[in-house]
Amino acid sequence: MTKIRLIVGLLAALTAWAESGQRAGESREFDGMEFVWVPSGEFPMGSASPEARDNEQPVTQVRISRGYWLGKYEVTQGEWQAVMGSNPSRFSGCGNCPVEKVSWDDAQEFIRRLHQRAGGARYRLPTEAEWEYAARAGTSGDRYSGNLDAIARYGEGLDGSTHPVGRKEPNAWGLHDMLGNVYEWVQDWYGGYPGGTVTDPQGPDSGSSRVFRGGSWFSPARNCRASYRYDFSPGARNFILGVRLLRTE
């Protein structure tokens, strides 16, 4: 047991050393896109609030063992066009609006082509845990701000649309539109939470649907919460669905 504790302590120390040059919320540009540093840490994933759905429980204590860079904004139509050569969005003509009508499979192709352009393979979708941890930015409530109108475009219904990224206030780590504007695909297959305490959960090994997070311009307030989760087929496209990238170091 003493040896195990020593190894765990050493790994934690090495992680802290590797991240010592980064500050939470630090912003940096990679390959023409802005990213924000998200440090390692722990948080309660899920919610037991009156607004929570059954699939947000049991609340699970999660440890994120390594920091990462997460897109400061949702991937825009202009960024998607530059990599893919086309713009699938319903609300096209707004290069700084988030790209939408992209499937999970489309997002994987975008990442593949981005790797070809940039060299290496540093980009991917965040896991559910990484997404929710970053959205909360150190908070434990269902939303990272008490004023949803200030941080999210939501509740517009069919008469509404997306708006340019970054217009709403960011969370404490400088991430914009984590709630509202468009839902964001994450990496995981859809499945239940394990409960207890886990480190760097990846979701199920297989499944029939992928998870998306965050609410959208179309959504009611109840869906615009850090813990809200839903799922679609990996090939599904919708004008409420977009993407945000994670970059590893």
Side-chain angles (χ1 to χ4, degrees):
M1 185 64 70
T2 301
K3 187 174 181 180
I4 293 174
R5 289 198 185 102
L6 181 60
I7 293 171
V8 170
L10 179 59
L11 288 173
L14 287 171
T15 299
W17 176 81
E19 296 182 6
S20 61
Q22 314 298 343
R23 293 177 291 105
E26 177 183 344
S27 180
R28 187 177 296 181
E29 184 174 308
F30 298 103
D31 300 306
M33 297 176 289
E34 287 190 73
F35 289 80
V36 168
W37 180 252
V38 177
S40 58
E42 296 188 17
F43 78 107
M45 184 173 177
S47 174
S49 79
E51 291 184 292
R53 302 170 71 228
D54 289 345
N55 69 354
E56 298 169 42
Q57 300 168 16
V59 175
T60 300
Q61 189 68 20
V62 172
R63 178 174 180 260
I64 302 295
S65 66
R66 294 185 64 84
Y68 50 92
W69 295 97
L70 191 67
K72 185 173 184 177
Y73 309 109
E74 294 158 333
V75 173
T76 67
Q77 295 178 27
E79 290 165 345
W80 188 275
Q81 175 89 36
V83 174
M84 301 293 283
S86 61
N87 180 6
S89 304
R90 172 177 176 174
F91 305 111
S92 59
C94 173
N96 203 38
C97 288
V99 69
E100 19 88 10
K101 290 190 71 177
V102 295
S103 68
W104 187 93
D105 292 332
D106 293 335
Q108 302 307 309
E109 178 62 16
F110 175 77
I111 291 168
R112 186 186 71 81
R113 295 193 192 185
L114 184 59
H115 287 160
Q116 288 180 335
R117 286 163 53 99
R122 294 186 178 275
Y123 296 102
R124 60 175 172 82
L125 297 181
T127 65
E128 269 204 276
E130 288 166 338
W131 189 96
E132 185 172 329
Y133 174 64
R136 291 183 178 282
T139 64
S140 58
D142 278 10
R143 301 178 180 91
Y144 49 83
S145 169
N147 185 353
L148 186 58
D149 291 337
I151 64 173
R153 183 168 180 81
Y154 72 101
E156 297 291 315
L158 287 173
D159 293 331
S161 67
T162 58
H163 68 172
V165 300
R167 283 194 175 177
K168 295 292 186 175
E169 295 175 6
N171 69 10
W173 289 342
L175 295 160
H176 291 264
D177 298 313
M178 292 298 287
L179 304 182
N181 218 3
V182 292
Y183 284 103
E184 300 170 14
W185 286 110
V186 294
Q187 186 66 26
D188 305 39
W189 289 108
Y190 177 74
Y193 287 165
T197 300
V198 295
T199 298
D200 299 328
Q202 304 291 311
D205 293 334
S206 61
S208 60
S209 59
R210 298 282 185 175
V211 181
F212 56 88
R213 291 298 206 110
S216 75
W217 60 271
F218 183 85
S219 303
R222 179 176 181 173
N223 294 12
C224 294
R225 296 180 296 109
S227 57
Y228 181 83
R229 58 198 298 254
Y230 208 79
D231 62 296
F232 274 167
S233 161
R237 299 183 179 94
N238 197 292
F239 52 66
I240 60 174
L241 260 173
V243 64
R244 186 185 304 258
L245 293 182
L246 180 149
R247 177 184 166 100
T248 59
E249 276 293 319

